[in-house]
Amino acid sequence: MPAPPCTSCHAARAALRRPRSGQALCGACFCAAFEAEVLHTVLAGRLLPPNAVVAVGASGGKDSTVLAHVLRELSPRLGISLHLVAVDEGIGGYRDAALAAVKRQAARWELPLTIVAYADLFGGWTMDAVARSTAGSGRSRSCCTFCGVLRRRALEEGARRVGATHIVTGHNADDMAETVLMNFLRGDAGRLARGGGLGSPGEGGALPRCRPLQFASQKEVVLYAHFRRLDYFSEECVYAPEAFRGHARDLLKRLEAARPSAVLDLVHSAERLALVPAARPPRPGSCSRCGALASRDLCQACALLDGLNRGRPRLAIGKGRRGLGEEGPQGAPGDRAQPPASETIPAF
Amino acid sequence: MAAPLSVEVEFGGGAELLFDGVKKHQVTLPGQEEPWDIRNLLVWIKKNLLKERPELFIQGDSVRPGILVLINDADWELLGELDYQLQDQDTILFISTLHGG
Amino acid sequence: MCQVGENYGEPATEESQPAPRPGLDKTPVLDCKEGLPVVVIRAGDAFCSRDCFKAFYTHKFRAMLGKNRLIFPGEKVLLAWSGGPSSSSMVWQVLEGLSQDSAKRLRFVPGVIFVDEGAACGQSPEDRAKTLAEVKLILQTVGFPWYLVALEEVFGLPPAVLRCSAQEPAGTAGAYKAAVDSFLQQQHTPGTEGAEDSPSLAQQQGQLCQPPPQGPMGLQSPTGPPAAAQTEALSRLFHSVKTLTAKEELLQTLRTHLILHVARAHGYSKVMTGESCTRLAIKLMTNLALGRGAFLAWDTGFSDERHGDVVVVRPMRDHTLKEVAFYNHLFAVPSVFTPAIDTKAPEKASIHRLMEAFLLRLQTQFPSTVSTVYRTSEKLAKAPRDSHDTAHSEPRCLLCLCTLDVDGADSATAFGAQTSSHLSQMQPHTALAEAGMHPVPCCPPEVGSAQGCCRGPCERGDPRVCVLEWLCYGCRVNMKDLPSLDSLPPYILAEAQLRRQRAWVLQEVQEYLIADSDGEAETA
């Protein structure tokens, strides 16, 4: 059974069938269509205005590698300048190899690169130190919670240092779809309310963030990287990912096999969800310590660091969040009625 | 009786971690009664190449969902998936989409 | 009444809350004098006697109807009965609720509709006849007016089924109270109770529906089998659908249209469906994966007002499948097994099957899964996000009758799923150039004329484009699995044509008006 000819150029043999349309395309036509679609996402959503200085959150993994490459291809047309910002979480063995990949990319594509380290930003706390500190809790999930919150903060900080006006991250359609599935399975209405849309406009002084690959499925991102011969780092973080996301991911892969457009259909659904007013999270205020957006007195990052510094790391996670900030060290009774921490893991 | 085949089996995107980190494997498939297809190639890989945690690579008689298969750089979906009959000098590439972001 | 566990509160009565739950961590300590436990519903909920469980079960049903106050006394309510356990249980709850000895009598006027889907599910005529005989036997026992409709009858539906009535469903608390009062007054007049107005029904039917394909829809009258040509057309339609996912959705759509038509034709203003909480959780997740995020509250909420004049109500939504199964078993509620379209299909064959299997499996690991999903669905709003008004004039999806959720300007998914084929068909460089040349296309080609912003008339004579432009995102994705839309029942195609003509006329008029005012401005 030979591969059919490409339905676009009719010259080359098709190399893949697109999940969204079922079309058979050759590698070159696929890559061109992929780039055109990212361009459309950026333009139609007015994500990155001309003259924007864009900080690309670079991890060395496939998504951020593809994002950086595509935006670099598109940057003359968009009139934007790019700056790679990598975060060094301080995870021995794992992060060094990933950062090496980012450095290679920066050199090859001649893009400026800035690396910000947790240790410098957060008073000496590396992820390895956090992990040791939370080890007693016996759950790897708390590790990912810390890392997610702190990485978001670190990226914001790095972007400011390089004078960026916008932040882009490599989240793809699969990430979005997994998240919406998880939010339903966990009954997390607060995050559902914020899950849709292409990004945050940057309220409260935060830099606007967006996800230009939000409509590209994981499969297409990987194939794009393959056909463009991009060199990326692919190794699982030593702190294993949250088990529950594994369930959602597994389900998503099955759904995709039954209906290739399922990933995008889920993203569409997530964009269109509407919550009753009572279920929407309250308008966030600002953190009393750092001024960032916060639904409580302290923003999530400051709350986590506060807990770490006081030797009670789990204080800021989930229900254990009682007793933070201005409240005394022990759980304050009045705090109970508040909604659960909606920022434990940032939506994005 | 199918003659022995020489094919290149390649792993990427993190899938190589299950194969001692080796990405490219030049292999010779022995002659056998029935023709070699992807289905029995997977069985052969499991027996001869896979070093650890087979469930992360093979589930049922196919690859784990989320692992892409490219035959001579074309998506196996275009070529009959498990039923594709291997030819001498084919390149079969398995890319995991499940690792890292 | 039974006592379950140590921290058990007051005994459950019909007026009180449903039976309180003992602590989930404890094995229930049963301390009932009446008998041994017979049912364990979820960890910790044990009911020692049949009566106890029955009170709990019935209370849930009544409470669901009571707290929503949507069904008025004397109102005609059509019970959609599939023969399956949940809807059978629902019919039985209504039957008991209407009986005289019941303390809190239900006061509405029920009818039952059964849709024979045999042709879509590939049943043989013999098997269908056998099923129908069983169905009729049960319907006769129940004694409500009933309608046995074959799915084939969709080929005789009028296009008007797809129009939403502008009529607002009445529903304020005041109106409800007034209706109760006037009903109670009527009750004192002898002779009116339970009067069957069959003649006027027949009249209504004559007015409302197009000439039915073969005789009237069977109101307590034996219907002959549907015409062979229609059976043939229906099975051809379903055979042509490429995926089980799209088949399931199509079946659901056609069934809904048919029930809606029968309800309207016979003056029913409410339709009750028997989805359990388990089923609704599965449906919610399934529809999420089908791109129906905007409509989840309609698809799974207690009431569904999308049709305007006929409101769909889901009174079984607090009951779990397990509760239903136990109740039906303990109280010998009859049900009819009919093969569904996905019976015996492998788990991975459709989004529906996958989601069902996934949730039920997760439920065994995390026993709160179904209820968590279900409770989250309660937090969804029926208005699309950031929409200011939900005027009735908004275009509705031709198939699911929800407001269209496809607009190119702000949603790149619509772009992704709908126009990427168009983009990638172009030469790579053209694709880039084109996207670059039109920085913000006002809408993707296929949506254009539906939204009326970029006047791209769909190619004349292409029914596919013509139908697609009137579909919501999810229904468009489904229709992709249908190679030819020509095999759809005629009323759908006819309504699409009508809408297109109307949109075209409207546009002409608007252009005329604009040109006119321009002219005036110039002369002035």
Side-chain angles (χ1 to χ4, degrees), chain A residues 1 3 15-17 59 61-64 218-219 222 226-227 229 232 234-236 249 253, chain B residues 13-14 16-17 65-66 68 70 73-75 77-80 93 95 97-101:
Chain A
M1 184 174 164
L16 75 153
R17 199 180 285 288
S59 68
K62 58 185 182 317
D63 297 311
S64 64
Q218 188 132 285
K219 176 177 174 177
V222 170
H226 173 74
F227 288 121
R229 309 281 172 226
Y232 62 88
S234 51
E235 205 163 294
E236 203 67 74
R249 183 170 296 181
K253 287 294 149 206
Chain B
E16 69 273 16
L17 300 176
L68 304 181
L70 277 79
D73 237 10
D75 190 349
E77 283 179 32
L78 295 167
L79 300 164
L93 167 62
I95 313 180
T97 64
L98 302 166
H99 287 85

Side-chain angles (χ1 to χ4, degrees), chain A residues 3 46 96 102 105 117 129 146 150-151 155 198 208 225 229 231 248-249 252 269 283 298:
Chain A
R46 297 189 173 86
D96 305 335
V102 180
Q105 290 164 3
F146 277 98
L150 297 182
R151 191 176 331 105
L155 184 56
L198 271 159
R229 309 281 172 226
D231 156 40
R249 183 170 296 181
L252 186 67
S269 277
R283 205 156 239 301
L298 288 185

Side-chain angles (χ1 to χ4, degrees), chain A residues 8 23 265 269 272-274 276, chain C residues 288 293 379 381 385 407 424 473:
Chain A
S8 178
Q23 265 201 319
D265 300 344
S269 277
R272 298 306 176 124
L273 285 174
V276 293
Chain C
L288 189 71
K379 293 177 183 160
R385 193 190 288 221
D407 46 18
S424 42
Y473 179 94

Side-chain angles (χ1 to χ4, degrees), chain A residues 84-144:
Chain A
L84 300 183
V85 176
V87 175
D88 182 358
E89 296 95 338
I91 303 173
Y94 168 75
R95 223 24 178 174
D96 305 335
L99 287 174
V102 180
K103 285 176 190 157
R104 284 199 301 276
Q105 290 164 3
R108 184 163 325 131
W109 297 333
E110 297 174 325
L111 290 174
L113 166 66
T114 300
I115 300 176
V116 284
Y118 278 11
D120 299 337
L121 292 175
F122 305 127
W125 284 103
T126 63
M127 248 342 267
D128 284 339
V130 171
R132 276 193 298 275
S133 171
T134 58
S137 67
R139 280 170 63 213
S140 61
R141 186 185 155 185
S142 60
C143 250
C144 295

Side-chain angles (χ1 to χ4, degrees), chain A residues 7-9 18 20-21 23 25 29 32-33 35-37 39-41 43-44 46 74 77 180-181 184-187 189 192-193 196 215 244 247 251 254-255 258-259 261-262 264-276 279, chain C residues 245-246 284-285 287-294 296 348 351 354-355 358-359 362 365-366 372-373 376 379-381 383 385 405 407 409 411-413 415-416 420-421 423-428 432 435 439-441 473 477-478 480-481:
Chain A
T7 52
S8 178
C9 65
R18 298 207 67 188
R20 52 184 71 190
S21 59
Q23 265 201 319
L25 291 181
C29 290
E35 286 158 14
E37 283 162 14
L39 180 63
H40 178 94
T41 303
L43 291 173
R46 297 189 173 86
L74 299 176
R77 197 181 310 272
V180 69
L181 286 173
F184 265 102
L185 294 173
R186 289 205 290 226
L192 279 176
F215 301 112
F244 206 73
H247 283 293
L251 171 65
R254 287 163 193 268
L255 293 173
R259 172 174 269 192
S261 69
L264 276 179
D265 300 344
L266 276 160
V267 175
H268 178 85
S269 277
E271 271 209 308
R272 298 306 176 124
L273 285 174
L275 272 89
V276 293
Chain C
T245 306
L284 180 98
M285 295 299 288
N287 287 1
L288 189 71
L290 293 174
R292 295 187 56 79
L296 293 180
K348 59 182 183 191
I351 301 280
L354 273 171
M355 209 50 106
F358 174 81
L359 277 180
L362 201 61
Q365 253 180 297
F366 306 96
T372 302
V373 172
T376 312
K379 293 177 183 160
L380 296 170
R385 193 190 288 221
D405 63 340
D407 46 18
S411 164
T413 20
F415 160 82
S420 63
S421 56
L423 251 183
S424 42
Q425 262 164 3
M426 295 187 284
Q427 294 300 316
L432 272 173
V440 184
Y473 179 94
V477 177
N478 282 324
K480 268 195 205 161
D481 293 342

